[in-house]
Amino acid sequence: MKKILILLLIVLMVGTLLTGCTDNEAVVTITDRAFLTQIVSINRNADQYEGRTIRYEGMFYTFYWEATGEYYHRVLRYVMDCCGDDGIAGFEVYLGNIAPLPDNAWVELVGVLEWYQVGQSRFLRVAATSITELENRGQEFVTP
């Protein structure tokens, strides 16, 4: 019985570390070590994270989407699998009244995860409450 309780406690602790929080009101902190795992988990379970505060670091980028004629922002990291730069991971960012930063600036983003609509499509983003440029860069490339 004691072994089962210890195993259950370990499983709960690992789950808490992967989500970066201990209750539904806590900030979800995405760490360097589990960056890709946490990003994928949040995307797959977005409705459970909607309205939650997310905090993570990454590179700031602005891109233009011709379909809407608007500029969008992301805080991301590169995903390196077998062949080098195989993609990106992170979230689109809604800045509101916050000024955009230069492309490739290393930032800490804090904001609330939300859905928004463009035409018939629904997209996930983090509505920034703060975005801070940092001097020290974290891991630009993450692996699965």
Side-chain angles (χ1 to χ4, degrees), residues 61-120:
Y61 281 100
T62 299
F63 65 96
Y64 180 75
W65 189 11
E66 289 185 28
T68 63
E70 295 187 35
Y71 288 91
Y72 294 84
H73 311 284
R74 290 186 66 115
V75 173
L76 57 89
R77 296 189 188 195
Y78 299 115
V79 177
M80 190 169 76
D81 198 2
C82 68
C83 307
D85 178 11
D86 294 321
I88 58 173
F91 293 105
E92 182 183 327
V93 179
Y94 174 68
L95 295 176
N97 293 325
I98 299 172
L101 285 94
D103 279 355
N104 200 36
W106 191 263
V107 300
E108 178 189 61
L109 170 67
V110 179
V112 177
L113 192 69
E114 65 181 18
W115 289 103
Y116 75 100
Q117 198 90 13
V118 174
Q120 298 297 317

Side-chain angles (χ1 to χ4, degrees), residues 38-52:
Q38 288 178 283
I39 293 290
V40 169
S41 177
I42 291 168
N43 275 292
R44 286 187 178 161
N45 303 292
D47 290 333
Q48 294 174 13
Y49 286 92
E50 183 179 12
R52 303 271 306 271

Side-chain angles (χ1 to χ4, degrees), residues 3-85:
K3 288 182 182 181
I4 292 173
L5 288 174
I6 290 172
L7 182 60
L8 181 59
L9 181 60
I10 291 170
V11 168
L12 288 172
M13 287 174 26
V14 168
T16 298
L17 288 173
L18 287 177
T19 60
C21 60
T22 57
D23 62 49
N24 203 32
E25 299 301 317
V27 173
V28 177
T29 300
I30 300 172
T31 64
D32 279 352
R33 184 176 178 132
F35 188 85
L36 191 56
T37 302
Q38 288 178 283
I39 293 290
V40 169
S41 177
I42 291 168
N43 275 292
R44 286 187 178 161
N45 303 292
D47 290 333
Q48 294 174 13
Y49 286 92
E50 183 179 12
R52 303 271 306 271
T53 299
I54 306 288
R55 173 184 303 159
Y56 71 100
E57 293 181 17
M59 295 169 283
F60 184 88
Y61 281 100
T62 299
F63 65 96
Y64 180 75
W65 189 11
E66 289 185 28
T68 63
E70 295 187 35
Y71 288 91
Y72 294 84
H73 311 284
R74 290 186 66 115
V75 173
L76 57 89
R77 296 189 188 195
Y78 299 115
V79 177
M80 190 169 76
D81 198 2
C82 68
C83 307
D85 178 11

